[in-house]
PDB file of all heavy atoms in Angstrom:
ATOM      1  N   GLN A 298     103.192  86.287  24.151  1.00  0.00           N
ATOM      2  CA  GLN A 298     102.177  85.193  24.039  1.00  0.00           C
ATOM      3  C   GLN A 298     101.363  85.394  22.738  1.00  0.00           C
ATOM      4  O   GLN A 298     100.673  84.279  22.361  1.00  0.00           O
ATOM      5  CB  GLN A 298     101.411  85.132  25.326  1.00  0.00           C
ATOM      6  CG  GLN A 298     102.300  84.876  26.468  1.00  0.00           C
ATOM      7  CD  GLN A 298     103.111  83.699  26.498  1.00  0.00           C
ATOM      8  OE1 GLN A 298     102.869  82.676  25.903  1.00  0.00           O
ATOM      9  NE2 GLN A 298     104.289  83.713  26.947  1.00  0.00           N
ATOM     10  N   ARG A 299     101.231  86.597  22.189  1.00  0.00           N
ATOM     11  CA  ARG A 299     100.336  86.689  21.036  1.00  0.00           C
ATOM     12  C   ARG A 299     100.987  85.952  19.904  1.00  0.00           C
ATOM     13  O   ARG A 299     100.403  85.297  18.985  1.00  0.00           O
ATOM     14  CB  ARG A 299     100.230  88.191  20.688  1.00  0.00           C
ATOM     15  CG  ARG A 299      99.369  89.015  21.506  1.00  0.00           C
ATOM     16  CD  ARG A 299      99.149  90.355  21.074  1.00  0.00           C
ATOM     17  NE  ARG A 299      98.173  91.107  21.778  1.00  0.00           N
ATOM     18  CZ  ARG A 299      97.741  92.238  21.461  1.00  0.00           C
ATOM     19  NH1 ARG A 299      98.345  92.999  20.451  1.00  0.00           N
ATOM     20  NH2 ARG A 299      96.922  92.950  22.222  1.00  0.00           N
ATOM     21  N   SER A 300     102.408  85.963  19.928  1.00  0.00           N
ATOM     22  CA  SER A 300     103.108  85.175  18.806  1.00  0.00           C
ATOM     23  C   SER A 300     103.025  83.747  19.033  1.00  0.00           C
ATOM     24  O   SER A 300     103.068  82.974  18.092  1.00  0.00           O
ATOM     25  CB  SER A 300     104.538  85.783  18.862  1.00  0.00           C
ATOM     26  OG  SER A 300     105.308  84.934  17.984  1.00  0.00           O
ATOM     27  N   GLY A 301     102.892  83.372  20.238  1.00  0.00           N
ATOM     28  CA  GLY A 301     102.701  81.907  20.556  1.00  0.00           C
ATOM     29  C   GLY A 301     104.160  81.311  20.765  1.00  0.00           C
ATOM     30  O   GLY A 301     105.109  81.777  20.354  1.00  0.00           O
ATOM     31  N   VAL A 302     104.071  80.082  21.431  1.00  0.00           N
ATOM     32  CA  VAL A 302     105.347  79.237  21.672  1.00  0.00           C
ATOM     33  C   VAL A 302     104.860  77.910  20.968  1.00  0.00           C
ATOM     34  O   VAL A 302     104.359  77.045  21.641  1.00  0.00           O
ATOM     35  CB  VAL A 302     105.694  79.239  23.081  1.00  0.00           C
ATOM     36  CG1 VAL A 302     106.961  78.360  23.223  1.00  0.00           C
ATOM     37  CG2 VAL A 302     105.943  80.563  23.656  1.00  0.00           C
ATOM     38  N   SER A 303     105.363  77.668  19.756  1.00  0.00           N
ATOM     39  CA  SER A 303     104.835  76.578  18.999  1.00  0.00           C
ATOM     40  C   SER A 303     105.490  75.218  19.586  1.00  0.00           C
ATOM     41  O   SER A 303     106.626  75.226  20.109  1.00  0.00           O
ATOM     42  CB  SER A 303     105.254  76.711  17.472  1.00  0.00           C
ATOM     43  OG  SER A 303     105.079  75.536  16.939  1.00  0.00           O
ATOM     44  N   VAL A 304     104.779  74.137  19.292  1.00  0.00           N
ATOM     45  CA  VAL A 304     105.379  72.873  19.670  1.00  0.00           C
ATOM     46  C   VAL A 304     106.583  72.508  18.793  1.00  0.00           C
ATOM     47  O   VAL A 304     107.487  71.766  19.176  1.00  0.00           O
ATOM     48  CB  VAL A 304     104.345  71.727  19.477  1.00  0.00           C
ATOM     49  CG1 VAL A 304     104.847  70.468  19.692  1.00  0.00           C
ATOM     50  CG2 VAL A 304     103.175  71.979  20.415  1.00  0.00           C
ATOM     51  N   ARG A 305     106.574  73.286  17.579  1.00  0.00           N
ATOM     52  CA  ARG A 305     107.817  73.112  16.851  1.00  0.00           C
ATOM     53  C   ARG A 305     109.097  73.638  17.617  1.00  0.00           C
ATOM     54  O   ARG A 305     110.165  73.071  17.169  1.00  0.00           O
ATOM     55  CB  ARG A 305     107.631  73.951  15.455  1.00  0.00           C
ATOM     56  CG  ARG A 305     106.573  73.507  14.576  1.00  0.00           C
ATOM     57  CD  ARG A 305     106.641  74.273  13.280  1.00  0.00           C
ATOM     58  NE  ARG A 305     105.421  74.058  12.443  1.00  0.00           N
ATOM     59  CZ  ARG A 305     104.315  74.719  12.361  1.00  0.00           C
ATOM     60  NH1 ARG A 305     104.349  75.807  13.068  1.00  0.00           N
ATOM     61  NH2 ARG A 305     103.237  74.364  11.654  1.00  0.00           N
ATOM     62  N   LEU A 306     108.905  74.536  18.527  1.00  0.00           N
ATOM     63  CA  LEU A 306     110.091  74.928  19.363  1.00  0.00           C
ATOM     64  C   LEU A 306     110.557  73.682  19.955  1.00  0.00           C
ATOM     65  O   LEU A 306     111.814  73.439  20.210  1.00  0.00           O
ATOM     66  CB  LEU A 306     109.615  75.994  20.334  1.00  0.00           C
ATOM     67  CG  LEU A 306     110.606  76.349  21.441  1.00  0.00           C
ATOM     68  CD1 LEU A 306     111.820  77.079  20.719  1.00  0.00           C
ATOM     69  CD2 LEU A 306     110.010  77.181  22.410  1.00  0.00           C
ATOM     70  N   SER A 307     109.752  72.969  20.624  1.00  0.00           N
ATOM     71  CA  SER A 307     110.197  71.808  21.592  1.00  0.00           C
ATOM     72  C   SER A 307     110.833  70.788  20.571  1.00  0.00           C
ATOM     73  O   SER A 307     111.884  70.191  20.886  1.00  0.00           O
ATOM     74  CB  SER A 307     108.919  71.064  22.196  1.00  0.00           C
ATOM     75  OG  SER A 307     108.296  72.169  22.946  1.00  0.00           O
ATOM     76  N   VAL A 308     110.286  70.492  19.367  1.00  0.00           N
ATOM     77  CA  VAL A 308     110.861  69.461  18.470  1.00  0.00           C
ATOM     78  C   VAL A 308     112.238  69.952  18.060  1.00  0.00           C
ATOM     79  O   VAL A 308     113.228  69.152  17.970  1.00  0.00           O
ATOM     80  CB  VAL A 308     109.916  69.323  17.221  1.00  0.00           C
ATOM     81  CG1 VAL A 308     110.554  68.328  16.324  1.00  0.00           C
ATOM     82  CG2 VAL A 308     108.605  68.788  17.822  1.00  0.00           C
ATOM     83  N   SER A 309     112.342  71.258  17.657  1.00  0.00           N
ATOM     84  CA  SER A 309     113.759  71.716  17.155  1.00  0.00           C
ATOM     85  C   SER A 309     114.735  71.723  18.319  1.00  0.00           C
ATOM     86  O   SER A 309     115.836  71.423  18.139  1.00  0.00           O
ATOM     87  CB  SER A 309     113.520  73.214  16.610  1.00  0.00           C
ATOM     88  OG  SER A 309     112.685  73.123  15.417  1.00  0.00           O
ATOM     89  N   ASN A 310     114.176  72.092  19.492  1.00  0.00           N
ATOM     90  CA  ASN A 310     115.299  72.046  20.595  1.00  0.00           C
ATOM     91  C   ASN A 310     115.700  70.597  20.989  1.00  0.00           C
ATOM     92  O   ASN A 310     116.931  70.471  21.274  1.00  0.00           O
ATOM     93  CB  ASN A 310     114.543  72.609  21.876  1.00  0.00           C
ATOM     94  CG  ASN A 310     114.444  74.230  21.816  1.00  0.00           C
ATOM     95  OD1 ASN A 310     115.270  74.797  21.031  1.00  0.00           O
ATOM     96  ND2 ASN A 310     113.661  74.884  22.651  1.00  0.00           N
ATOM     97  N   TYR A 311     114.855  69.576  20.831  1.00  0.00           N
ATOM     98  CA  TYR A 311     115.112  68.224  21.019  1.00  0.00           C
ATOM     99  C   TYR A 311     116.209  67.792  20.117  1.00  0.00           C
ATOM    100  O   TYR A 311     117.163  67.175  20.385  1.00  0.00           O
ATOM    101  CB  TYR A 311     113.817  67.496  20.995  1.00  0.00           C
ATOM    102  CG  TYR A 311     113.993  66.029  21.508  1.00  0.00           C
ATOM    103  CD1 TYR A 311     113.971  65.643  22.873  1.00  0.00           C
ATOM    104  CD2 TYR A 311     114.080  64.998  20.558  1.00  0.00           C
ATOM    105  CE1 TYR A 311     113.938  64.373  23.298  1.00  0.00           C
ATOM    106  CE2 TYR A 311     114.159  63.769  21.068  1.00  0.00           C
ATOM    107  CZ  TYR A 311     114.142  63.381  22.353  1.00  0.00           C
ATOM    108  OH  TYR A 311     114.247  62.160  22.732  1.00  0.00           O
ATOM    109  N   GLU A 312     115.942  68.214  18.805  1.00  0.00           N
ATOM    110  CA  GLU A 312     116.834  67.720  17.892  1.00  0.00           C
ATOM    111  C   GLU A 312     118.257  68.631  18.014  1.00  0.00           C
ATOM    112  O   GLU A 312     119.216  67.849  17.770  1.00  0.00           O
ATOM    113  CB  GLU A 312     116.230  68.085  16.402  1.00  0.00           C
ATOM    114  CG  GLU A 312     115.117  67.267  16.115  1.00  0.00           C
ATOM    115  CD  GLU A 312     114.277  67.691  14.897  1.00  0.00           C
ATOM    116  OE1 GLU A 312     114.584  68.863  14.358  1.00  0.00           O
ATOM    117  OE2 GLU A 312     113.554  66.913  14.230  1.00  0.00           O
ATOM    118  N   SER A 313     118.216  69.840  18.423  1.00  0.00           N
ATOM    119  CA  SER A 313     119.378  70.563  18.603  1.00  0.00           C
ATOM    120  C   SER A 313     120.263  69.884  19.756  1.00  0.00           C
ATOM    121  O   SER A 313     121.415  69.908  19.716  1.00  0.00           O
ATOM    122  CB  SER A 313     119.077  72.010  18.880  1.00  0.00           C
ATOM    123  OG  SER A 313     118.701  72.662  17.685  1.00  0.00           O
ATOM    124  N   LEU A 314     119.576  69.596  20.817  1.00  0.00           N
ATOM    125  CA  LEU A 314     120.147  68.932  22.020  1.00  0.00           C
ATOM    126  C   LEU A 314     120.816  67.739  21.617  1.00  0.00           C
ATOM    127  O   LEU A 314     122.069  67.469  21.885  1.00  0.00           O
ATOM    128  CB  LEU A 314     119.122  68.630  23.032  1.00  0.00           C
ATOM    129  CG  LEU A 314     119.640  67.918  24.292  1.00  0.00           C
ATOM    130  CD1 LEU A 314     120.580  68.744  25.054  1.00  0.00           C
ATOM    131  CD2 LEU A 314     118.379  67.457  25.092  1.00  0.00           C
ATOM    132  N   ALA A 315     120.099  66.831  20.715  1.00  0.00           N
ATOM    133  CA  ALA A 315     120.833  65.618  20.295  1.00  0.00           C
ATOM    134  C   ALA A 315     122.000  65.870  19.290  1.00  0.00           C
ATOM    135  O   ALA A 315     123.027  65.170  19.325  1.00  0.00           O
ATOM    136  CB  ALA A 315     119.738  64.685  19.600  1.00  0.00           C
ATOM    137  N   ALA A 316     121.778  66.920  18.493  1.00  0.00           N
ATOM    138  CA  ALA A 316     122.944  67.080  17.557  1.00  0.00           C
ATOM    139  C   ALA A 316     124.166  67.640  18.272  1.00  0.00           C
ATOM    140  O   ALA A 316     125.216  67.365  17.836  1.00  0.00           O
ATOM    141  CB  ALA A 316     122.416  68.183  16.545  1.00  0.00           C
ATOM    142  N   ASN A 317     124.010  68.521  19.197  1.00  0.00           N
ATOM    143  CA  ASN A 317     125.239  69.053  19.976  1.00  0.00           C
ATOM    144  C   ASN A 317     125.834  67.955  20.644  1.00  0.00           C
ATOM    145  O   ASN A 317     127.170  67.737  20.771  1.00  0.00           O
ATOM    146  CB  ASN A 317     124.759  70.067  20.938  1.00  0.00           C
ATOM    147  CG  ASN A 317     125.869  70.865  21.451  1.00  0.00           C
ATOM    148  OD1 ASN A 317     126.471  71.727  20.843  1.00  0.00           O
ATOM    149  ND2 ASN A 317     126.412  70.565  22.625  1.00  0.00           N
ATOM    150  N   ALA A 318     125.005  66.901  21.196  1.00  0.00           N
ATOM    151  CA  ALA A 318     125.693  65.776  21.884  1.00  0.00           C
ATOM    152  C   ALA A 318     126.481  64.812  20.927  1.00  0.00           C
ATOM    153  O   ALA A 318     127.520  64.462  21.088  1.00  0.00           O
ATOM    154  CB  ALA A 318     124.499  64.917  22.635  1.00  0.00           C
ATOM    155  N   LEU A 319     125.748  64.800  19.735  1.00  0.00           N
ATOM    156  CA  LEU A 319     126.621  63.986  18.637  1.00  0.00           C
ATOM    157  C   LEU A 319     127.785  64.640  18.272  1.00  0.00           C
ATOM    158  O   LEU A 319     128.854  64.011  18.155  1.00  0.00           O
ATOM    159  CB  LEU A 319     125.600  63.852  17.469  1.00  0.00           C
ATOM    160  CG  LEU A 319     126.198  63.119  16.185  1.00  0.00           C
ATOM    161  CD1 LEU A 319     126.557  61.693  16.516  1.00  0.00           C
ATOM    162  CD2 LEU A 319     125.243  63.197  14.981  1.00  0.00           C
ATOM    163  N   ARG A 320     127.804  65.934  18.056  1.00  0.00           N
ATOM    164  CA  ARG A 320     129.082  66.653  17.768  1.00  0.00           C
ATOM    165  C   ARG A 320     130.166  66.535  18.763  1.00  0.00           C
ATOM    166  O   ARG A 320     131.354  66.290  18.602  1.00  0.00           O
ATOM    167  CB  ARG A 320     128.689  68.186  17.493  1.00  0.00           C
ATOM    168  CG  ARG A 320     129.936  68.994  17.028  1.00  0.00           C
ATOM    169  CD  ARG A 320     129.501  70.364  16.708  1.00  0.00           C
ATOM    170  NE  ARG A 320     128.891  71.081  17.807  1.00  0.00           N
ATOM    171  CZ  ARG A 320     129.584  71.744  18.869  1.00  0.00           C
ATOM    172  NH1 ARG A 320     130.825  71.764  18.706  1.00  0.00           N
ATOM    173  NH2 ARG A 320     128.925  72.342  19.715  1.00  0.00           N
ATOM    174  N   ARG A 321     129.714  66.649  20.057  1.00  0.00           N
ATOM    175  CA  ARG A 321     130.621  66.598  21.136  1.00  0.00           C
ATOM    176  C   ARG A 321     131.188  65.145  21.230  1.00  0.00           C
ATOM    177  O   ARG A 321     132.477  64.830  21.447  1.00  0.00           O
ATOM    178  CB  ARG A 321     129.865  66.946  22.574  1.00  0.00           C
ATOM    179  CG  ARG A 321     130.700  66.606  23.680  1.00  0.00           C
ATOM    180  CD  ARG A 321     129.989  66.873  24.950  1.00  0.00           C
ATOM    181  NE  ARG A 321     128.511  66.336  24.955  1.00  0.00           N
ATOM    182  CZ  ARG A 321     128.222  65.073  25.217  1.00  0.00           C
ATOM    183  NH1 ARG A 321     129.198  64.148  25.452  1.00  0.00           N
ATOM    184  NH2 ARG A 321     126.857  64.715  25.297  1.00  0.00           N
ATOM    185  N   GLY A 322     130.281  64.075  21.103  1.00  0.00           N
ATOM    186  CA  GLY A 322     130.739  62.818  21.178  1.00  0.00           C
ATOM    187  C   GLY A 322     131.629  62.284  19.969  1.00  0.00           C
ATOM    188  O   GLY A 322     132.668  61.645  20.222  1.00  0.00           O
ATOM    189  N   LEU A 323     131.454  62.879  18.788  1.00  0.00           N
ATOM    190  CA  LEU A 323     132.253  62.640  17.643  1.00  0.00           C
ATOM    191  C   LEU A 323     133.715  63.088  17.884  1.00  0.00           C
ATOM    192  O   LEU A 323     134.640  62.521  17.509  1.00  0.00           O
ATOM    193  CB  LEU A 323     131.718  63.163  16.342  1.00  0.00           C
ATOM    194  CG  LEU A 323     130.415  62.463  15.786  1.00  0.00           C
ATOM    195  CD1 LEU A 323     129.792  63.191  14.634  1.00  0.00           C
ATOM    196  CD2 LEU A 323     130.706  61.050  15.513  1.00  0.00           C
ATOM    197  N   ARG A 324     133.768  64.311  18.503  1.00  0.00           N
ATOM    198  CA  ARG A 324     135.083  64.934  18.761  1.00  0.00           C
ATOM    199  C   ARG A 324     135.858  64.069  19.650  1.00  0.00           C
ATOM    200  O   ARG A 324     137.019  64.087  19.740  1.00  0.00           O
ATOM    201  CB  ARG A 324     134.926  66.360  19.095  1.00  0.00           C
ATOM    202  CG  ARG A 324     134.535  67.436  18.028  1.00  0.00           C
ATOM    203  CD  ARG A 324     134.553  68.737  18.529  1.00  0.00           C
ATOM    204  NE  ARG A 324     134.374  69.649  17.409  1.00  0.00           N
ATOM    205  CZ  ARG A 324     134.260  71.041  17.557  1.00  0.00           C
ATOM    206  NH1 ARG A 324     134.337  71.517  18.809  1.00  0.00           N
ATOM    207  NH2 ARG A 324     134.169  71.874  16.519  1.00  0.00           N
ATOM    208  N   ALA A 325     135.053  63.543  20.615  1.00  0.00           N
ATOM    209  CA  ALA A 325     135.767  62.768  21.723  1.00  0.00           C
ATOM    210  C   ALA A 325     136.029  61.288  21.310  1.00  0.00           C
ATOM    211  O   ALA A 325     136.649  60.526  22.048  1.00  0.00           O
ATOM    212  CB  ALA A 325     134.845  62.769  23.086  1.00  0.00           C
ATOM    213  N   GLY A 326     135.597  61.075  20.088  1.00  0.00           N
ATOM    214  CA  GLY A 326     135.690  59.612  19.583  1.00  0.00           C
ATOM    215  C   GLY A 326     134.878  58.643  20.234  1.00  0.00           C
ATOM    216  O   GLY A 326     135.222  57.479  20.207  1.00  0.00           O
TER     217      GLY A 326
END
Side-chain angles (χ1 to χ4, degrees):
Q298 301 303 325
R299 287 186 176 182
S300 174
V302 180
S303 169
V304 178
R305 296 188 189 99
L306 170 71
S307 302
V308 175
S309 296
N310 282 345
Y311 191 81
E312 293 170 342
S313 293
L314 176 67
N317 195 77
L319 178 61
R320 182 174 60 86
R321 170 180 52 76
L323 291 174
R324 285 185 172 177

